[in-house]
Amino acid sequence: MSFHIRPSVPADVAAMMQLIHELAVFEKAPNEVVANAETLLQSGFQEHPLFVAWVAEKDGLIVGMALCYIRYSTWKGPVLYLEDLIVTESFRSNGIGKALFEKCIAHAKHNNYRRMVWQVLDWNTPAIDFYKGYGAQIEDGWLNASIDF
């Protein structure tokens, strides 16, 4: 299958939001998405963007995306955090996720980040197997914590 990976642009925001909603449904949390197209536009396409993202395009249709941002580890230094890697269901198993993931890795290496980190749900065995194929360490013993405002 032929597809193209490119940096996201403001015109991609609506398609990116569709992918985000698709992921929320897949992760059994469709009502948890409170960000909207305006939030995404303002956060990612300003003078000092809060994230970097790439989209996968097939015949003019955006079928996948990866969205990352910089974290800082007091132990490692700059770290790239992969917030979401999404490929629309009907386009999975065509190498799109692999290409997006490798774009993130290349970005991290190019910018001399010490590590790339992300989360994966413990029941998402296809994703876990995918990441293990890259030699990723899936950690036990860490619990997610958050406070919503």
Side-chain angles (χ1 to χ4, degrees), residues 2 49 51 56 58 66 106:
S2 175
F51 64 81
K58 166 76 174 142

Side-chain angles (χ1 to χ4, degrees), residues 50-92:
L50 300 178
F51 64 81
V52 60
W54 297 271
V55 295
E57 196 171 32
K58 166 76 174 142
D59 298 328
L61 179 67
I62 294 175
V63 298
M65 67 175 263
L67 188 144
C68 304
Y69 57 89
I70 302 167
R71 284 180 26 179
Y72 191 83
S73 166
T74 56
W75 290 8
K76 300 292 181 185
V79 172
L80 188 67
Y81 186 82
L82 173 58
E83 176 66 26
D84 284 323
L85 174 64
I86 312 164
V87 177
T88 197
E89 188 172 8
S90 61
F91 286 89
R92 293 182 189 149

